[in-house]
Amino acid sequence: MSGADGPGGGASSATGGPVAGLLTRLFGTESDVVRDRTFQVLLLGSVISPMGSSVVSPVLESLAGPYGVSVARVGLLMAAFTAPSIVAIPLVGALSDRVGRRPVLAAGLALFGVAGAAAALTTDFRVVVGLRLLQGLGYTGIGPVLIASVGDLYAGEREATAQGVRFAAVGLSLAVFPVLAGALVSAEFRLPFALFLAAIPVALVVLLVFDEPTRADAGDGADADGEDSLFGRLRDPLVLAALVGRAVPSFLWFAFLTYASVVTGRLLGGSAAVAGLVVGLASLGSALGGTQVGRLTAAFDGRGAPLAVTMALCGLGLAGFGLATSLAVAAATAAVVGAGFGTVLTLYRSTVTGLADAGARGGLVSVGESVGRLGSTAAPLALGGLVTVGAPVVGFEAALRYTVLGTAVLGTAVGAALGLLAGRAHTDAGPGVDDDGPV
């Protein structure tokens, strides 16, 4: 299937009308991908995929008291959710290459919804941490499978646009659910977990409606040790650099998510509802950033420069957020963090899908997502440790601000360098993998 002839029509086949015109202005000439029913199911799943972090992040400080734990320890609710992905995502991704995307996606959504909603039934912090681990395991069958499925359907600029549209759906979800969570936690601290029930009907839709983009047999493509196999791609140093670089934006984003409520609440005097609005604004920025990925890939010859620049934008926003002295500044810099994150993450995901053919794509995408989850998991643990060590020396506020600022500076430098290497990996992959579409 070529990028020009994939589902939804040709590369520039958007029909007329105000809606089509708006989509073209937002996403570019490939925006007609939204007419494909299979892609629409992927968009529905994309609304669910970010809820594991967006529902819990803005209410973390509000949960510390009811659960009887410190602000630093309540961050385990974020780490517990991301931890299973480090090991499980590559296995689940390889499984989806063999048995198909649909059963893995449906099962992941069901576990995600049931485990997440069950947290509303207990007040035991240890039980909630365990349920978050199970919910994180469910996520391993959602996010990476959605990303790989887009790569199955499209290629080239069309694939990049589709990833941007999908991430816009993620961003809109991120803009809505933090606000709902912030409002619900004020009424009863367990209510935000009930929002995860939304995953159950989506799992049913996947089972009933989703048309499998591809089903790569175990014997397809090169042999298990060949250059085009998963392990063959992992032996390429530039591919490894691209996968490691994928972790940096996730680290910076989770640094923001973990301390968004602390900065806006404890340091700036905002309520949980205000924290939800700030996270929602950052998420809206991420949605808008993701819409421009198709245009960026069309405007540049390679992926390196866009990856480096948007990584710097994310780091600049995080630094500004860490130094914010008012809620207005915090809100503005949060939007910058989101815009940078949404763009660079979508670019990375589009880049990684172009580094393997259909027989290894699910596995390689899943390895990238696993590395990304490693960054997500490490952020609350690393920053929490630094703040805990620094607080007795310079005070809690100074320790928090210096930690966030240092994270932003170091993350920008490392992320920009790895982004340039990732761009080289994508160029070296050549037209045989990306521009001609799945094989």
Side-chain angles (χ1 to χ4, degrees):
M1 176 190 302
S2 70
D5 299 324
S12 300
S13 62
T15 58
V19 175
L22 176 61
L23 290 172
T24 300
R25 285 192 293 273
L26 284 174
F27 300 104
T29 57
E30 306 289 349
S31 61
D32 63 307
V33 294
V34 300
R35 301 206 314 271
D36 176 30
R37 188 181 69 168
T38 300
F39 183 63
Q40 289 169 359
V41 177
L42 297 180
L43 291 181
L44 191 59
S46 298
V47 173
I48 302 298
S49 65
M51 288 177 60
S53 59
S54 67
V55 167
V56 176
S57 168
V59 302
L60 277 177
E61 188 178 22
S62 299
L63 296 176
Y67 286 133
V69 297
S70 66
V71 171
R73 192 179 176 203
V74 81
L76 288 174
L77 294 181
M78 299 295 286
F81 175 73
T82 58
S85 303
I86 299 171
V87 175
I89 278 183
L91 301 176
V92 175
L95 179 66
S96 76
D97 283 334
R98 290 179 175 270
V99 306
R101 313 294 190 212
R102 178 169 57 186
V104 174
L105 179 58
L109 285 164
L111 179 59
F112 179 92
V114 171
L121 304 177
T122 180
T123 58
D124 189 322
F125 182 72
R126 292 170 297 180
V127 174
V128 176
V129 170
L131 289 170
R132 289 284 284 171
L133 284 167
L134 285 176
Q135 189 181 27
L137 184 61
Y139 173 83
T140 64
I142 305 174
V145 175
L146 293 171
I147 297 164
S149 295
V150 174
D152 295 336
L153 287 168
Y154 310 110
E157 180 187 341
R158 191 166 180 79
E159 185 272 341
T161 299
Q163 295 286 9
V165 174
R166 195 196 69 81
F167 194 77
V170 170
L172 291 175
S173 172
L174 285 167
V176 172
F177 284 105
V179 178
L180 291 176
L184 289 172
V185 78
S186 301
E188 218 288 330
F189 77 94
R190 291 174 295 182
L191 281 179
F193 294 107
L195 293 172
F196 294 123
L197 289 171
I200 306 301
V202 177
L204 293 175
V205 170
V206 169
L207 283 175
L208 298 174
V209 178
F210 188 56
D211 292 327
E212 190 75 39
T214 186
R215 182 168 179 168
D217 293 327
D220 284 349
D223 60 75
D225 295 323
E227 181 182 352
D228 293 330
S229 70
L230 174 59
F231 293 108
R233 301 306 294 145
L234 291 176
R235 285 197 293 265
D236 186 331
L238 289 178
V239 171
L240 289 177
L243 296 175
V244 174
R246 164 68 183 83
V248 181
S250 294
F251 188 96
L252 297 189
W253 179 243
F254 267 72
F256 165 76
L257 288 178
T258 301
Y259 288 99
S261 64
V262 180
V263 170
T264 57
R266 181 169 297 193
L267 303 190
L268 301 179
S271 64
V274 171
L277 288 171
V278 169
V279 174
L281 185 60
S283 302
L284 181 60
S286 73
L288 294 175
T291 65
Q292 301 308 303
V293 170
R295 286 193 172 96
L296 282 174
T297 57
F300 289 87
D301 291 333
R303 301 290 176 91
L307 283 168
V309 171
T310 52
M311 187 71 252
L313 181 65
C314 183
L316 178 65
L318 181 62
F321 182 78
L323 297 175
T325 55
S326 69
L327 289 172
V329 173
T333 53
V336 176
V337 174
F341 171 73
T343 312
V344 70
L345 181 65
T346 307
L347 278 168
Y348 258 117
R349 285 172 166 169
S350 177
T351 298
V352 172
T353 61
L355 299 181
D357 62 19
R361 180 175 294 115
L364 188 65
V365 167
S366 295
V367 171
E369 292 303 294
S370 179
V371 174
R373 301 305 274 187
L374 179 61
S376 302
T377 304
L381 299 177
L383 271 68
L386 290 172
V387 171
T388 300
V389 170
V393 180
V394 297
F396 178 81
E397 179 173 348
L400 177 58
R401 292 188 184 278
Y402 290 150
T403 296
V404 173
L405 178 61
T407 298
V409 173
L410 182 61
T412 297
V414 173
L418 290 172
L420 294 174
L421 293 176
R424 287 182 55 190
H426 188 267
T427 299
D428 290 351
V433 171
D434 186 46
D435 295 337
D436 288 345
V439 293

